[in-house]
Amino acid sequence: MAPSKFNSSGEGNFSSPMAENGFLNSTSLLNSEKAVQELLQRSPLMETDDHLVEFSEALRTVAKALRKAAEGKAAAQAEAAEWKRKFELERTRNLQLEYKGQSPTERNGYDNKRSRNLPPQATEQSEWCCGLNGICSHEVLQDGDIDSVSQNASRKYTRKASFKLSWCCNGDHSDRHKHDVVSFEKGNITTAERSSRQISLKWESQPQTVLILTKPNSISVRMICFEMVRWLREYKDLQIYVEPRVKNELLTESDYYNFVQTWKSDEEIMVLHTKVDLVVTLGGDGTVLWAASMFKGPVPPLVPFSLGSLGFMTPFHSEHYRECLDSLLKGPISITLRHRLQCHVIRDAARNEYETEEPILVLNEVTIDRGISSYLTNLECYCDRSFVTCVQGDGLILSTTSGSTAYSLAAGGSMVHPQVPGILFTPICPHSLSFRPLIFPEYVTIRIQVPFNSRGHAWASFDGKDRKQLAAGDALVCSMAPWPVPTACQVDSTNDFLRSIHDGLHWNLRKTQSFDGPRDA
Ligand SMILES: NC(=O)c1ccc[n+]([C@@H]2O[C@H](COP(=O)([O-])OP(=O)(O)OC[C@H]3O[C@@H](n4cnc5c(N)ncnc54)[C@H](O)[C@@H]3O)[C@@H](O)[C@H]2O)c1
Ligand SMILES: Nc1ncnc2c1ncn2[C@@H]1O[C@H](COP(=O)(O)OP(=O)(O)OP(=O)(O)O)[C@@H](O)[C@H]1O
């Protein structure tokens, strides 16, 4: 019998309780029990087990602490993102003020600035409905006083057309602000409006400047663009802006197009929304996404003409552009307010929470996926201060409701009417049987964290573009942006949405059963 290798002194050697015939004999059993007890008391194996137990408990404690820390970080980063959002809003306001020739420091305070730069009606509304901390859509959407612009002789820009937005439903026209959602009169909770209603835009002065954005590398788009520019100039007497590339194309065609304006720098693009009354897009959904991405703040009303293969956001037919533009320039226009998501990438390497990169606004979605890595993505997701889940799979899509018919749909997300405010949380190929897509309300902040123990990097892409690598420790914080994209409707939001899913996706197309006459009971 070989001595136990655990007994270094040679004492307490135990023999196998198994006799040679294969049965247990009692003496050897006694011996072996004693030996096991000795082994349990003295053996380093037991110490190893104890150490393993201790170690795993310590690991569990560390994991708990890490989760707590991450939750704390989530809250801090959500707050940082909220502050950043407010900062961006303020910066855009200041930019507008600077453009109007008034320095932000000339203001006595926030209220004063607002009351001096907004038309009286808008100011009253904003203080009435939102107070200081809210974002009034009419401030974002209704163009303010721009008299100073026309007075400023050094600037060649013309006065921007003003318009008024109203919310109406089934013929009921009402100016009631959409923030006035819940009332607590006499202790009863009632809802006045549950989401924004169909919006109607009425021009208060004639639009004067149109920006035309076109899909590149398409001869048919180029031809329509040339024609449209000429028509808008000769029949509507409008100022026209195009991208530098298009201006070159126009000038190559003819010197006639010399009147068309463009820009040279990104700073000029930043203030484009203060000059342009209407944006026309010629292309597919990608061109609408491109147009939206040009406006990092407020977006002028957008008229999307379809010249692509699948137009979910392009209800206007380019062959009828004259009649369409004629009626849109007169107004009123039914508008779909397409919400956007504001995304901040927060690097773990950044020294503090506020050192975030420039925010990116998306009209469809932000996708966090595994990129070229063959490992499963491992993403920790938080909603405000609450842990949502860990995504283990190909990735995750955070989509707007406008984007619900795009990538999110392909990944199994629901289609949502674009006027419903919300954030879709749709996994891509999750390695789990029970991971169903979610829809969050519009007021939450979602944070996606690449954990430190992630095997590979994750990649974020914004409306299918601008890929950014997310290393372990990096996070993406996402909330609803205060600047929606107002797109003109062919009929109204609902009719256009249903038409797009019927025509674009052949949604629920099925042969109708033949009628064979009533069946016998
Ligand atoms: N598996 C997929 O379905 C998949 C994969 C990658 C990207 N995409 C989508 O492509 C978008 C980028 O579009 P692009 O035109 O620049 O690229 P693209 O030219 O590759 O076109 C992608 C397709 O998505 C359609 N699309 C875009 N936005 C849509 C929307 N809101 N509703 C319905 N369909 C929409 C376009 O019409 C086009 O047919 C991304 O935002 C993403 O949603 C989809
Ligand atoms: N003005 C522009 N400048 C640069 N790129 C653009 C511009 N407009 C569109 N694009 C890009 O060109 C690509 C194709 O555009 P778009 O999606 O509009 O056309 P399409 O693919 O023919 O139409 P659909 O989306 O209906 O299939 C998109 O990736 C879009 O981002």
Side-chain angles (χ1 to χ4, degrees):
M1 212 57 58
S4 162
K5 61 180 173 175
F6 299 115
N7 193 337
S8 53
S9 66
E11 285 175 14
N13 268 355
F14 64 94
S15 334
S16 159
M18 201 70 75
E20 276 169 19
N21 61 6
F23 288 96
L24 293 172
N25 96 34
S26 60
T27 331
S28 63
L29 192 69
L30 261 175
N31 282 342
S32 68
E33 269 177 14
K34 207 171 140 202
V36 166
Q37 264 177 2
E38 262 177 41
L39 182 70
L40 283 175
Q41 277 165 11
R42 297 169 49 189
S43 111
L45 181 64
M46 184 191 159
E47 281 165 25
T48 313
D49 280 352
D50 282 351
H51 283 147
L52 275 178
V53 171
E54 258 174 44
F55 183 60
S56 71
E57 262 165 21
L59 270 185
R60 226 173 289 146
T61 314
V62 170
K64 232 190 222 170
L66 277 176
R67 168 76 48 82
K68 272 249 160 74
E71 274 172 5
K73 201 171 170 189
Q77 287 183 339
E79 207 177 316
E82 181 58 18
W83 278 107
K84 177 103 182 168
R85 188 174 67 81
K86 286 188 175 153
F87 166 74
E88 293 295 334
L89 201 69
E90 188 61 24
R91 197 172 66 163
T92 312
R93 280 202 187 103
N94 288 344
L95 257 171
Q96 274 174 290
L97 283 173
E98 271 171 35
Y99 168 70
K100 288 172 190 168
Q102 184 189 9
S103 116
T105 47
E106 278 173 41
R107 294 169 290 146
N108 292 334
Y110 196 73
D111 272 337
N112 286 354
K113 178 203 85 175
R114 297 220 293 191
S115 47
R116 270 199 267 154
N117 289 286
L118 287 169
Q121 178 207 4
T123 315
E124 274 162 30
Q125 268 186 3
S126 76
E127 279 163 11
W128 166 66
C129 70
C130 298
L132 289 181
N133 299 322
I135 297 149
C136 290
S137 56
H138 51 75
E139 283 181 32
V140 176
L141 295 167
Q142 183 160 338
D143 285 311
D145 163 26
I146 30 120
D147 281 348
S148 51
V149 178
S150 47
Q151 282 161 13
N152 190 345
S154 64
R155 310 218 182 221
K156 61 179 177 182
Y157 310 127
T158 47
R159 185 192 168 99
K160 208 184 147 186
S162 70
F163 55 77
K164 192 176 173 207
L165 293 179
S166 55
W167 278 260
C168 47
C169 197
N170 298 335
D172 161 29
H173 289 261
S174 155
D175 273 348
R176 191 168 2 170
H177 195 271
K178 67 173 178 168
H179 284 200
D180 184 18
V181 171
V182 181
S183 76
F184 299 97
E185 219 172 294
K186 294 183 193 151
N188 295 328
I189 300 174
T190 58
T191 52
E193 293 169 33
R194 286 153 292 271
S195 70
S196 53
R197 296 177 179 196
Q198 178 60 57
I199 293 156
S200 173
L201 180 151
K202 281 192 194 111
W203 298 108
E204 288 185 326
S205 58
Q206 202 48 39
Q208 295 185 11
T209 310
V210 174
L211 164 67
I212 304 178
L213 295 172
T214 61
K215 170 173 91 166
N217 310 321
S218 161
I219 294 173
S220 56
V221 166
R222 201 179 307 169
M223 290 298 122
I224 294 258
C225 174
F226 292 170
E227 235 185 273
M228 189 183 279
V229 169
R230 192 181 274 269
W231 183 79
L232 286 173
R233 180 66 171 187
E234 291 178 1
Y235 292 89
K236 299 287 160 193
D237 194 23
L238 290 173
Q239 309 255 20
I240 292 150
Y241 273 86
V242 294
E243 291 173 277
R245 164 184 58 83
V246 179
K247 168 106 197 212
N248 283 340
E249 287 170 6
L250 288 165
L251 289 180
T252 313
E253 174 74 7
S254 160
D255 284 346
Y256 165 82
Y257 294 107
N258 247 325
F259 62 86
V260 174
Q261 300 180 56
T262 188
W263 54 87
K264 289 198 179 86
S265 65
D266 286 354
E267 285 71 40
E268 285 179 80
I269 299 179
M270 285 282 284
V271 291
L272 211 52
H273 68 277
T274 59
K275 306 174 201 170
V276 169
D277 294 318
L278 209 62
V279 182
V280 167
T281 64
L282 302 175
D285 293 323
T287 312
V288 176
L289 296 174
W290 178 267
S293 73
M294 282 186 56
F295 296 92
K296 316 278 182 223
V299 190
L302 213 132
V303 184
F305 284 96
S306 77
L307 278 133
S309 53
L310 250 188
F312 281 82
M313 296 188 283
T314 57
F316 295 99
H317 298 292
S318 55
E319 357 18 309
H320 305 132
Y321 77 83
R322 288 186 189 84
E323 302 87 77
C324 293
L325 286 175
D326 217 18
S327 117
L328 292 167
L329 289 167
K330 282 189 197 121
I333 310 174
S334 280
I335 293 277
T336 300
L337 269 195
R338 296 184 181 276
H339 301 282
R340 291 195 284 180
L341 295 177
Q342 181 163 269
C343 314
H344 289 93
V345 171
I346 301 174
R347 302 284 175 198
D348 185 56
R351 265 174 286 130
N352 64 58
E353 302 287 352
Y354 300 91
E355 277 183 60
T356 59
E357 296 178 10
E358 276 292 293
I360 302 175
L361 294 169
V362 292
L363 175 54
N364 266 354
E365 77 285 287
V366 52
T367 306
I368 306 104
D369 60 31
R370 61 190 174 83
I372 52 166
S373 162
S374 46
Y375 294 119
L376 246 67
T377 47
N378 181 4
L379 304 169
E380 282 176 5
C381 310
Y382 300 87
C383 176
D384 292 334
R385 282 150 203 267
S386 310
F387 175 69
V388 180
T389 192
C390 261
V391 176
Q392 294 186 89
D394 277 359
L396 176 74
I397 300 167
L398 297 177
S399 170
T400 62
T401 44
S402 286
S404 70
T405 43
Y407 197 178
S408 170
L409 170 81
S414 180
M415 292 193 288
V416 189
H417 189 300
Q419 212 60 91
V420 177
I423 304 178
L424 281 75
F425 182 94
T426 313
I428 311 171
C429 298
H431 196 233
S432 137
L433 294 176
S434 53
F435 197 162
R436 296 294 181 94
L438 291 179
I439 304 179
F440 285 109
E442 96 290 354
Y443 57 81
V444 300
T445 299
I446 309 250
R447 179 168 162 275
I448 311 299
Q449 173 83 46
V450 182
F452 287 99
N453 62 354
S454 170
R455 290 190 181 183
H457 290 147
W459 293 82
S461 63
F462 306 87
D463 283 342
K465 299 224 169 351
D466 299 335
R467 266 188 172 290
K468 277 179 186 257
Q469 196 183 56
L470 300 178
D474 291 349
L476 183 117
V477 177
C478 189
S479 56
M480 196 71 95
W483 303 287
V485 179
T487 59
C489 303
Q490 168 78 269
V491 181
D492 59 42
S493 293
T494 304
N495 189 292
D496 284 15
F497 170 64
L498 293 175
R499 186 207 53 82
S500 73
I501 61 171
H502 285 142
D503 294 357
L505 292 173
H506 308 297
W507 180 61
N508 195 25
L509 196 67
R510 185 195 186 277
K511 258 185 120 175
T512 311
Q513 277 189 312
S514 61
F515 179 67
D516 296 332
R519 300 237 170 112
D520 295 336

